Amino acid sequence: RVKSDLDDKSPADLSEDPFHSVDESNGVTEDRLLQLYVDVHNRERNQSLRVGRQYVEIADYLHLDGAQFLYHENGELGGRIYAGQPVSYYTSVSGDYAGGLSLVGRPWDGNRLRFTAARYHDDGEDEDDQHFFFDVRQQLSESQRARVQLSVLNDEFRMGRADWYLSTPDGETDLSLGSSYWGSFDARTRAYSPLYNVLGEQDPYTYVYGRLTQMIVPHWFLSPGVAWRFAEDTESTYRNRDYENYDLALIYEPSRAFTASVALEYWAVDEDDSFLGVSGEVRYRHGRVWEVSGGASFAEYTYDTYSDISYSGNGGSTVISETGTVSEETPFVKTYFLRTKWRLNKALALRLQGDIEDDDDSEDLAYRGRGSIEVRF
């Protein structure tokens, strides 16, 4: 990943930009190597060694310069071991290290059970995090499956989650329901709480969701979804807030080549913050050779900006009000996009996307473009 500022903005321009950060300062560039590894495996692919910069997905995606050895992960009994030096783009981790092991098995039909242990040592703080993960997946029937997860950090409950999925063989109904609870755990290292020194312990909350996709007539699908977040009572309301999220999508799919959809989404957050948006997309695919899609979205959102104190200049003196200030913003944003994918051959694919955003709070349009090349060896 490579990032560089293209236009030299004046201090006056930057003061009016709500998204300005130190990354946009003149002369600042950002170069990141995200992943670069070598994977060596046997013909049966039941043993492999991966060496280099990589993510350990089973341990909350720890980012390491190191190695993983996997042994019969898809068999009746197997696992992996991993170790390396953590990756950080902001602070020195020269003395940090992380590692662990994972065991996975199939104790009975339709079941998959995994236990993972991870240890992270933060040399700068001379602290350690001991993290344990439990993950159970069960095929209940031909159309139903369930998953239960548990995470324990430093002998404290971190997270528990349960999900249930239904997918009918005729392809007319998909349903998913789930809930998770996050506790007030005490992370000691930057890996599991990079903002702990600023924000302190995480406040507990519960998250619940549901999603149904149902064919109503041939080629037409209706997909409603809901999600709720319930924060436990806390004084730090601005970093642990309740919200409700509702959306409804209408999908038209007459063939595998053509799809059209329109969706409505609404968010309601504590303190009267809200979001309302509608979006639409049309996509056409020509076999596996190329596809093109385009769409638009229209959104209006209200949010309150809080300040603990307000001040003003008065003849060289500063007047401070302890009551604070509250300002409300309600911009209306229109976004249009066009994207395409072209598979040049079996090994090479090209993706392009362009966006135009029109914000009624800004006089200028915003333009975004993105291109990517995918190479398969």
Side-chain angles (χ1 to χ4, degrees), residues 108-144:
W108 56 81
D109 263 356
N111 181 266
R112 182 176 173 85
L113 173 65
R114 180 186 291 277
F115 165 75
T116 303
R119 181 170 184 258
Y120 185 107
H121 174 73
D122 188 330
D123 186 64
E125 299 292 333
D126 195 24
E127 292 281 5
D128 295 280
D129 273 335
Q130 304 282 352
H131 207 168
F132 300 100
F133 306 85
F134 302 88
D135 188 347
V136 183
R137 307 184 191 194
Q138 179 67 47
Q139 190 74 32
L140 302 174
S141 67
E142 182 183 1
S143 59
Q144 299 181 64

Side-chain angles (χ1 to χ4, degrees), residues 327-359:
S327 59
E328 183 179 281
E329 300 285 346
T330 310
F332 181 68
V333 181
K334 301 179 287 293
T335 305
Y336 311 92
F337 74 88
L338 180 67
R339 58 174 173 251
T340 182
K341 176 183 177 182
W342 182 21
R343 189 173 298 279
L344 303 175
N345 52 51
K346 291 183 178 181
L348 193 63
L350 175 66
R351 292 182 175 89
L352 297 172
Q353 177 169 337
D355 299 75
I356 300 175
E357 184 176 288
D358 183 6
D359 184 340

